[in-house]
Each structure stands twice: as C-alpha cells, then as structure tokens.
C-alpha cells in the first residue's frame, strides 16, 4: 500500500547535506501498538502509514535523517523527556495539559472524536449516552473528554491501553459505544467483522481536544521546533500532506 518506508527513506537521504549526513538521525517516536491508517506495519514488516510517510517527508524538507522508533504509548512522553526519542508524531493533540511538560510544532491535522456503536443503537450524540458502557483508549484526548464531559451521563467509562483492545471489546459485546478518532474509526468500520456498526455522532469541540495534532518535542528544543514548523509549512504548501491524506483517507485532513 502506498510507497514503502524504505523507498521514502532512500529518497530523503539523497538530498542531505554532508553535515546532515554526519549527524545522528532524529528519532521519531510512534506508538509500538499499530494505529492504522496513521501508523502500522506493512506485510514486509516495515512501519508505514500516513504519519510515517508524512514524517519522512517533513524530515526530507528539513534535510535531516530520521528513523522510526516504536515506543509504548503510555511511556512515549517520558521517553521524549528522557532523550530516548527526539519527537512524537503519533496523532498527539496539542492540549494545555501536555504543554505543561512538552512543546509542540504547529498543528498538521485535526479530526474530531467519533462515537461508534451498533447500527440499531439509538444514539444521536453525547446526550443519549445515559446508562451506556463506553470504551476509550487511555492517555488520549478522547479519554480526557470522556472523563470531564461524560462521567455524569454514561453508565461506565472503561479505559484501555491500546486502541485495538477497545475495538475488540465493542465487537465482543462488552461495550455499547466506543469513542475514538473519527479517521481511525472510518478505517475500523471497513473491516468485515465491523459490519453492523457505524459512526453515530462526533464529539463537540471541547477544551480536551486542544488545537489540533502536532509533533511533540522537548521544551528546550527551540531550533528543532523552528525547523519542524518551516517543514510543516513546506509540505502543506507544496501539496505533499494533502496528497498523502487523500491516499490514506480519501479526504484532506491537513490543517
């Protein structure tokens, strides 16, 4: 599917200056748990997906060598702060809480949270969740929204370490509703086993969702932040981001 990561890496390397080639590669932290279509492993075992390809395009625009470094989602911010990775590019929303401990690049995409349930469940929006059991991945903006806006409405909020665990429990009937990124849910609903489920509504704009998705960096990385912002502008203006978005999602989610 799409261009393989190995090809992108090779293409990115061709334009590097001697100084950039001599430098240590920047480590792009992504969740070790696949999050298709943003990040996942191909049939050849290579990491690919919208954010992997876009990340390599951003590195090419910066004339920097980069490598994908899978890291457990729950420990990805500590890994960044400890210097084990140089940036986080994994659908991480820019929120006030996160900005207390890390910095961000400019946003590169935004999509809302979506409520997914069985076709026959009457659900028009958050106001219809009374008594329902809702599942959401922990340490996400959707989890923050659910705990702050839905805890007095729903029957139970269940938090999971991985997005795929939430999906499986919905299909197994252990959840009534899941709340997750709308684009990821569109991909999930294309699976054969998800027949009979649909997106019921999207979450309203809320402070929990922040300003969009950006690249997380350490608070002392001012030079990297400036380079990333310039590169994001470049891949947005030259159409690279939009082309990748259309390939993976059939629509343009780039900000």
């Amino acid at each position: 599917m799409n261009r393989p990561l190995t090809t992108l890496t090779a293409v990115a390397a061709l334009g590097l200056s001697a100084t950039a080639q001599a430098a240590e590669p920047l480590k792009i932290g992504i969740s070790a748990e696949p999050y298709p279509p943003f990040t996942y492993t191909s049939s050849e075992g290579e990491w690919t997906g919208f954010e992997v390809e876009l990340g390599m395009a951003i590195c090419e625009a910066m004339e920097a060598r980069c490598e994908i470094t899978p890291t457990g989602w729950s420990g990805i911010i500590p890994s960044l702060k400890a210097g084990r990775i140089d940036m986080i590019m994994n659908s991480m929303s820019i929120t006030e809480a996160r900005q207390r401990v890390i910095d961000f690049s400019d946003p590169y995409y935004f999509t809302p949270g979506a409520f997914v349930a069985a076709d026959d469940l009457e659900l028009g929006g958050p106001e219809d969740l009374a008594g329902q059991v809702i599942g959401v991945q922990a340490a996400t903006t959707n989890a923050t929204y659910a705990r702050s806006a839905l805890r007095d409405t729903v029957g139970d909020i269940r938090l999971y370490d991985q997005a795929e665990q939430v999906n499986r429990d919905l299909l197994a009937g252990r959840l009534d509703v899941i709340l997750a990124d709308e684009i990821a849910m569109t991909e999930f609903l294309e699976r054969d086993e998800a027949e009979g489920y649909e997106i019921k509504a999207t979450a309203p704009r809320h402070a929990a969702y922040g300003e969009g998705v950006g690249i997380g960096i350490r608070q002392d990385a001012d030079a990297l932040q400036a380079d990333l912002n310039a590169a994001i502008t470049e891949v947005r203006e030259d159409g690279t981001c939009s082309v990748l978005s259309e390939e993976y999602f059939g629509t343009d989610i780039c900000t």
Side-chain angles (χ1 to χ4, degrees), residues 50 108-110 239 241-243 245-246 249-255:
F50 170 70
Y108 56 92
Y109 90 81
F110 179 85
C241 187
S242 295
V243 168
S245 179
E246 290 286 351
F249 311 120
T251 188
D252 189 357
I253 66 171
C254 301
T255 57

Side-chain angles (χ1 to χ4, degrees), residues 2 14 22 53 60 63 67 77 81 85 87 126 129-130 158 161 171 175 178 181-182 202 215 247 249 251 253:
N2 304 301
L14 290 176
E53 290 209 52
E60 182 181 358
E63 297 189 345
E67 62 183 31
I77 288 179
K81 295 181 68 177
I85 55 178
M87 59 182 107
L129 288 168
R158 297 181 184 174
D161 290 334
L171 297 177
L175 296 171
I178 60 178
D181 181 273
E182 183 180 36
T202 56
I215 301 173
E247 286 182 8
F249 311 120
T251 188
I253 66 171

